[in-house]
Amino acid sequence: MSDRKYIAKEEIERQMTLADRLYAEIQPRCLKFYVETFGCQMNVRDSETIKGILARCGYTECAEKETADLILFNTCCVREHAEKRLMGNIGALREQKESNPGLIVGICGCMMQQDGIAKKLLRRFPHVSLVFGPNVVFRLPEMLGAVLSGERIALTDEEDFAIAENLPRIRDNSRSAFVNITFGCNNYCTYCIVPFVRGRERSRSMEDIRKEAESLCASGITEITLLGQNVNSYGNDLEAGSFAELLDKLNFVPGLKRLRFMSSHPKDLTNEVIAAIARNDRVCHHVHLPVQSGSNAILKRMNRKYTREQYLEIIRKLRDAVPDVEFTTDIIVGFPGETEEMFRETLSLVEEVGFAAAFTFAYSPRVGTAAASMHDQIPEDVKKRRLYELNALQAEKTVENNKKYIGYEGEVLIEGCDERTDETMLYGKYRNFKMVYFPGKPEEVNQYRNVRVLSLSRNSLIGERIDG
Ligand code: 5AD
Ligand code: SF4
């Protein structure tokens, strides 16, 4: 694997020059693109860059797949169902390609980094002509040029996981933005495909991150979410700089009101990070802290490098330092070797912590990961039943958590509105990630309002404005 940390500036410039040349050809033809994103925020962020490059190449975005001249699926391979869905989606485009032979169908994202899949997809789907991995997005102008002149391209470049700075981007919203701080992952949790498809962990320089945050906020963004597979290990590969220092620095970016981050790995959530969350007023009081399991035996087999007790200790310390902090988590049930008793330990941890929300998954074996070849795999029906039981418990805990909020007052960033009811209901989040609904006008979306919680409705908080 190459040690090159950044893609050379000259290479990025070369790609942008190619994009500008394509613009002259594509823009007059009014060609349109449609990008569909699967998976996590990392992919959402990658899609923003992909859209930015496509716009630079002369395409405009369209809302309907049916009217597009270029359709791109940005894929995920973290869990199995995403793959099945993708295959269905690609198959369904066969007819559209027949009626519009100029249509370009492309597939990109993590799944394309899996062994041999890129070439396999080209063979299986003759109507697909562009396949590439997440680390070569910057070469899209070059790839597109080749595809437009009739080639079929599969580029995954497994050797190179260097960082590409200064690529164009199109953001979906004007209020919040994602900012990558690390790429890749070194942790090798035994169930997880990410280290294989996203490469080793690389941190962007603190300067590049600060500059990006400043330019986002100068353009009106007030909420930034820092993204990394494990934000807490930010800087481990740099000569200087840690996640705590990064929070200290970004806290003072002019115009920034809310600084969020995800995901945190419990093994690296140190006292310094806790102190940095507590002392920086822009840092939001929400920690997404994937626990994965409540059983020490399973955590060990997962290679998570913390125990249940250590996890609970971090929760306690964070609650001491930041009293209104809320936690969300990820949990996997049915990991190989998980006995009924071990599963009950996960339930008891969920009971004990009281997460605001949990993203729960049935374990799905990923080819190439250590857990996929563990011999004591759990039958699907057992996984399903455990997932159901866990979700039922978390639903109760969510309602319990919501009850604490009756009478709560705080500032909400409005994310959207729901006009289906008699009255327009706005929704948005408090700083600690709790969502609240309250009456208002659609023009208020993206604004901040002070809201008091009045009641609960199923899983939601219902409130009223208290600032006139
Ligand atoms: N099976 C089930 N869930 C998985 N996750 C990651 N890999 C797998 C897998 N093989 C879940 C983890 C992770 C989240 C993003 O996806 O809980 O935190
Ligand atoms: Fe996967 Fe573990 Fe890395 Fe998260 S920390 S991306 S679960 S290997």
Side-chain angles (χ1 to χ4, degrees):
M1 196 167 284
S2 152
D3 277 337
R4 195 157 61 118
K5 176 138 192 201
Y6 291 96
I7 302 294
K9 217 168 112 211
E10 295 73 28
E11 172 58 12
I12 304 288
E13 280 165 7
R14 189 178 77 86
Q15 292 295 336
M16 292 308 116
T17 309
L18 290 172
D20 294 341
R21 260 186 235 149
L22 286 176
Y23 188 93
E25 180 188 328
I26 291 171
Q27 201 269 342
R29 291 164 63 198
C30 302
L31 298 183
K32 295 188 278 304
F33 73 79
Y34 177 89
V35 175
E36 190 158 334
T37 310
F38 299 85
C40 68
Q41 279 78 6
M42 205 62 87
N43 267 16
V44 173
R45 174 67 194 86
D46 283 353
S47 285
E48 291 181 348
T49 300
I50 290 167
K51 291 176 186 183
I53 298 178
L54 290 174
R56 179 89 181 239
C57 292
Y59 285 92
T60 44
E61 187 167 10
C62 65
E64 305 288 333
K65 222 184 280 178
E66 291 67 28
T67 55
D69 303 283
L70 189 160
I71 299 173
L72 198 52
F73 295 104
N74 190 3
T75 64
C76 166
C77 58
V78 168
R79 289 174 300 273
E80 200 176 13
H81 65 269
E83 243 166 81
K84 288 188 185 140
R85 222 163 99 198
L86 173 76
M87 297 302 166
N89 272 311
I90 305 169
L93 289 178
R94 224 172 249 133
E95 276 179 29
Q96 192 174 334
K97 173 80 180 176
E98 272 164 24
S99 55
N100 173 12
L103 173 69
I104 296 174
V105 179
I107 319 169
C108 59
C110 299
M111 203 192 292
M112 300 309 106
Q113 289 297 133
Q114 288 183 283
D115 265 353
I117 193 160
K119 297 219 164 75
K120 196 172 90 189
L121 284 169
L122 280 193
R123 271 198 307 274
R124 177 165 165 196
F125 298 107
H127 61 292
V128 171
S129 51
L130 174 62
V131 181
F132 58 97
N135 48 323
V136 290
V137 166
F138 70 97
R139 289 177 65 181
L140 189 50
E142 179 185 357
M143 293 187 274
L144 203 54
V147 169
L148 285 165
S149 53
E151 283 180 54
R152 297 178 78 219
I153 298 283
L155 189 65
T156 51
D157 197 359
E158 278 132 39
E159 289 302 305
D160 209 334
F161 285 101
I163 299 173
E165 290 290 352
N166 297 319
L167 293 172
R169 100 196 248 185
I170 289 185
R171 280 184 274 115
D172 282 342
N173 88 52
S174 57
R175 136 196 101 238
S176 308
F178 293 126
V179 171
N180 297 112
I181 64 167
T182 63
F183 299 96
C185 184
N186 290 347
N187 291 313
Y188 290 94
C189 300
T190 54
Y191 50 83
C192 185
I193 194 82
V194 168
F196 301 95
V197 295
R198 290 256 175 191
R200 69 186 189 283
E201 184 178 274
R202 293 139 283 146
S203 304
R204 291 177 72 199
S205 82
M206 205 138 24
E207 259 324 277
D208 285 336
I209 297 169
R210 187 184 55 78
K211 271 194 236 147
E212 183 176 349
E214 281 179 358
S215 104
L216 287 165
C217 293
S219 76
I221 291 285
T222 59
E223 179 179 65
I224 283 180
T225 304
L226 305 177
L227 288 185
Q229 303 298 340
N230 172 13
V231 289
N232 304 124
S233 58
Y234 170 79
N236 285 359
D237 57 333
L238 299 176
E239 290 191 353
S242 67
F243 184 56
E245 288 170 48
L246 185 65
L247 292 182
D248 287 343
K249 184 164 268 190
L250 297 180
N251 196 60
F252 297 100
V253 166
L256 179 66
K257 279 176 69 100
R258 292 181 168 195
L259 185 55
R260 301 188 179 281
F261 52 88
M262 69 188 305
S263 286
S264 284
H265 194 309
K267 81 177 168 62
D268 296 308
L269 209 155
T270 57
N271 292 341
E272 288 74 52
V273 173
I274 295 176
I277 297 172
R279 76 174 158 256
N280 286 303
D281 62 344
R282 311 286 159 84
V283 174
C284 290
H285 295 173
H286 164 238
V287 182
H288 181 65
L289 196 62
V291 66
Q292 312 297 0
S293 169
S295 149
N296 282 335
I298 294 296
L299 288 172
K300 194 156 194 269
R301 286 170 72 101
M302 287 177 163
N303 191 31
R304 290 291 288 177
K305 301 196 174 86
Y306 55 85
T307 61
R308 171 194 179 98
E309 293 72 27
Q310 285 164 338
Y311 184 89
L312 291 172
E313 178 68 7
I314 295 168
I315 298 271
R316 190 191 60 72
K317 281 196 221 162
L318 268 159
R319 282 186 170 146
D320 282 350
V322 185
D324 68 340
V325 68
E326 285 290 358
F327 295 97
T328 52
T329 198
D330 293 345
I331 299 172
I332 299 176
V333 299
F335 185 81
E338 185 187 69
T339 62
E340 208 50 36
E341 204 185 336
M342 292 169 189
F343 169 61
R344 304 266 141 221
E345 291 183 79
T346 297
L347 293 181
S348 81
L349 182 130
V350 167
E351 184 66 59
E352 196 170 336
V353 175
F355 295 107
F359 302 90
T360 58
F361 310 102
Y363 168 72
S364 79
R366 309 284 68 210
V367 176
T369 60
S373 48
M374 290 180 182
H375 51 84
D376 34 10
Q377 301 285 327
I378 305 296
E380 286 306 317
D381 57 335
V382 175
K383 288 188 211 170
K384 245 192 213 152
R385 198 255 306 144
R386 288 182 187 166
L387 191 60
Y388 182 82
E389 219 177 304
L390 174 61
N391 288 340
L393 173 62
Q394 181 52 45
E396 277 174 33
K397 300 303 287 183
T398 304
V399 171
E400 214 174 278
N401 181 289
N402 284 348
K403 283 187 186 154
K404 298 190 306 210
Y405 282 86
I406 300 276
Y408 181 89
E409 293 177 2
E411 197 178 39
V412 169
L413 171 53
I414 304 166
E415 295 181 2
C417 68
D418 188 348
E419 292 184 86
R420 281 171 301 180
T421 47
D422 316 345
E423 195 172 26
T424 299
M425 292 296 272
L426 301 174
Y427 56 87
K429 292 197 186 83
Y430 289 112
R431 297 176 63 77
N432 66 358
F433 215 62
K434 289 297 288 189
M435 174 88 93
V436 63
Y437 288 76
F438 62 101
K441 299 193 189 76
E443 311 82 86
E444 293 177 276
V445 171
N446 293 343
Q447 307 289 317
Y448 288 85
R449 294 285 183 265
N450 285 311
V451 177
R452 179 189 300 129
V453 178
L454 297 176
S455 60
L456 309 179
S457 143
R458 276 180 297 157
N459 287 335
S460 320
L461 305 179
I462 310 293
E464 66 174 2
R465 287 172 52 168
I466 50 174
D467 50 6

